[in-house]
Structures are given as C-alpha cells and as structure tokens.
Amino acid sequence: MSAQAGTGTYSPATAAGDKRRERKEELRRHLVEDADWPRADGRSFHDCRPAFMQTGPTTAASGSAYAEFGKTKVIVSVFGPRESKKAMMYSDVGRLNCNVSYTTFATPVRGQGADNKEYSSMLHKALEGAVMLHTFPKTTVDVFALVLESGGSDLPIIISCASLALADAGIMMYDLVTSVSVSCFAKNIIIDPTSDEEAWQDGSLVVAFMPARKEITQLTLTGEWSDGRITNAVELCMDACSKLGDIMRDRLKDTATLTSE
C-alpha cells in the first residue's frame, strides 16, 4: 500500500543533558511560585505539538501507521483478521489483541525497552469500542505498537496511531479513535505535555474519543483534580481530538487517492 504523510496542527480552539536538567529546575521553580511559564518548545498552555502522521510504512503488515508528535515517535502494525491460534468456543465476535512495547533507545535511560502491559491493556480498552468485532467472527486482529522515541504523551499518540493503522488495514470501525492528554500544575492545565512536563505534573487526564460519534471510549484520570478543572480538561481534550481526527481522515483520503491513480 502506498504511503502518505502529512503534518498538521490540532490545538484546541481555547486557544537532554544539562539543558534538560536546567529546564526541569526552571519548571520546578515556576510550580513553586504557582506562576505562568513559557513552555520549552514555545507553545502556549493550550497548544498541541504539530502532528506528523503517515500510513503504510510497514508493507508486510495488513495495515500500518507512523506518528511523530514533537520528540515522540510511534509506529503501529496491524495483522489480520486471521484464524485464532487459541482453541476457543465459536463466538459471534472477533478478538482484538494489543501489544505496546518500547525500543531500548526510546527513553534517555538506555536498555529500558520492554513490553508495557499497562499501556497494552489501555490501548485495547480505547479501541475495542470502535472496532466492529462482529465483522470478523472467530478470528483475531493483532495490533503491535512500538515506541521508537518517548517524548511525552506516549499513550494518546499510541492510541491515535493504532486507530489510523486499523483503518489502513481495512478493519471495519464505527469511527476513528483519537486521543489527547492534559497535565495539571497547580492552577494551570497544559495540553499535550512533554516528558519533562509529565515528570512534574500534579495530575493527568487522557481522553480517547470518537469524533464523528462524539463518544469517549476511555478516560483515565490520575492525581488530584477539582470538578471544574476536570470538565475544562475534558472539553480541551475533546476539541483537540476532533481536530486530530480531521488530520487522520485527510491522511486516509490521501492514501485512497494515491491508490486509485
């Protein structure tokens, strides 16, 4: 399958080494002062990193996608539907297997690459509500996500990239699944946090969302939040998810156009 790539922004409407350590110390100081601060990459609190996404990078798979959001780089390969290897009773619905792993060079500390069972489970939960499992009974679709470089907001980027790869594989879905996260720092909420920002966050919120159906497939909340801030954070994520969905649909349209030529 031919690949198409593109970069787009999906910010919501509401508008290494010594340098890395200096940046962490600066961020810590701002948090202590409970003040607004300039983000290291120049973004405002409600600006997302540019989203570069590409379909079809892995020709051996049924479908695949690559995503690059700032320093975070992810590739997802989809295989199937195939007959399930595990003996099981007949089922009217298929099975969705998800695996998330990190390369040994994905994080600043070398040699920490490994399967991430927690992220694998969360990826499955985010996608299963969008995939039409009844369209491939007694068969299995495997989703393998590999984080090439971890730069923050890994899980939402994995979810979005996996959804694009499923669509590239021709797997029937009710809608694409897009995902965005926010971090809270004292009185502030920032969207699409980097790994440095995540290291100092008071709490985090990850939303997986089907833009066309306006349905949340997964919401994960950590830390301490007030009710008002949760509502604001969810709205920010949903707005950004909708715009990210437009970018993903454009990538699929580009691929379809190129394939038909």
Side-chain angles (χ1 to χ4, degrees), residues 81 92-95 130-139 141 170-174:
D92 290 334
V93 298
R95 298 177 59 192
V131 177
M132 297 183 181
L133 298 175
H134 63 277
T135 61
F136 48 96
K138 206 175 173 64
T139 57
V141 169
I171 303 300
M172 297 293 290
M173 304 171 68
Y174 294 106

Side-chain angles (χ1 to χ4, degrees), residues 156-193:
I157 296 171
I158 291 168
I159 293 172
S160 301
C161 189
S163 174
L164 188 62
L166 283 167
D168 184 58
I171 303 300
M172 297 293 290
M173 304 171 68
Y174 294 106
D175 190 11
L176 291 170
V177 178
T178 60
S179 184
V180 175
S181 66
V182 296
S183 293
C184 70
F185 298 86
K187 66 179 182 180
N188 299 307
I189 296 175
I190 65 170
I191 198 164
D192 188 28

